[in-house]
Amino acid sequence: MNISIDDIKNAKDHSLKINFENEIKDLSTDGVVKAELIFSAFGSYIQVKGQIVANVKLICDRCLKNFLKKIEVDVDETYILGSAKSAKGAHSGQEIELKDGDFITELHGEDGIDVEDLIYQSVTLNIPNPSVCDINCNGSPEMEKYIKKEISDPRLDVFKNLKIKKEGK
Ligand SMILES: [Zn+2]
């Protein structure tokens, strides 16, 4: 699904709302990925805001079991038409404020934004690392040995007696 820049610019208030409910290529999910995205045009920038919800199939980094993780992403992305250099100053009156660390994607003259790609990138960036099936997962016997070895550092003794309550279970 490609959202045309012209469609965004020609939309009412230069703002286009998209409801996406589909599978995303290369993203293993339980059911469809749902997203509600608002594309807004500001001069030489396109801003995308909204939410993505996906039940992603992951493999636990401790016990290697498959598990599902609900990933919810608040989208706030900025695209610039052309390159960063040419956009700066070209529309000085319409520039939107770009704070430090804001993620900007250059479109290099492309005429649209690939929604599937945007969703794929947003979800994969929000998958926790390491991914663990449960906060109390002790892992497989082999991994347990490995973790025990790690924890033999006396400074980490405090964690041996630490029990973490399961959320709402
Ligand atoms: Zn696990």
Side-chain angles (χ1 to χ4, degrees):
M1 191 195 223
N2 214 43
I3 304 299
S4 137
I5 304 296
D6 284 341
D7 283 354
I8 302 166
K9 284 183 172 170
N10 294 331
K12 192 174 171 275
D13 300 324
H14 311 295
S15 205
L16 201 64
K17 191 173 163 185
I18 302 291
N19 281 303
F20 180 93
E21 264 187 54
N22 210 336
E23 286 172 1
I24 296 287
K25 195 176 166 274
D26 298 328
L27 195 65
S28 186
T29 54
D30 182 43
V32 294
V33 177
K34 290 184 183 176
E36 194 179 285
L37 301 168
I38 297 165
F39 294 78
S40 306
F42 297 92
S44 54
Y45 296 92
I46 300 289
Q47 198 175 55
V48 187
K49 290 201 174 192
Q51 271 100 38
I52 301 170
V53 182
N55 285 305
V56 184
K57 288 179 186 170
L58 296 172
I59 295 167
C60 176
D61 283 329
R62 285 195 195 148
C63 68
L64 306 176
K65 271 185 204 152
N66 293 304
F67 71 104
L68 277 178
K69 172 114 184 136
K70 190 178 185 184
I71 306 278
E72 288 173 285
V73 187
D74 283 323
V75 179
D76 189 354
E77 301 270 351
T78 308
Y79 291 84
I80 46 173
L81 312 174
S83 67
K85 249 185 181 173
S86 66
K88 253 190 187 169
H91 291 269
S92 51
Q94 291 173 301
E95 255 182 51
I96 52 165
E97 202 180 294
L98 297 172
K99 285 168 244 111
D100 285 352
D102 264 7
F103 189 67
I104 303 164
T105 309
E106 295 182 350
L107 285 172
H108 295 295
E110 277 177 54
D111 58 3
I113 294 171
D114 184 341
V115 176
E116 275 97 348
D117 187 56
L118 165 68
I119 293 173
Y120 177 83
Q121 300 288 345
S122 305
V123 172
T124 49
L125 277 171
N126 280 277
I127 291 172
N129 186 23
S131 301
V132 181
C133 65
D134 186 292
I135 202 158
N136 289 324
C137 174
N138 289 321
S140 61
E142 299 85 60
M143 289 299 270
E144 213 171 331
K145 270 183 232 160
Y146 176 75
I147 290 164
K148 272 190 182 145
K149 222 175 170 185
E150 285 285 291
I151 219 156
S152 66
D153 185 331
R155 285 171 303 177
L156 297 175
D157 273 358
V158 61
F159 294 118
K160 278 184 184 167
N161 300 316
L162 195 74
K163 283 222 170 109
I164 299 155
K165 269 190 188 169
K166 287 189 184 186
E167 279 179 81
K169 278 180 195 167

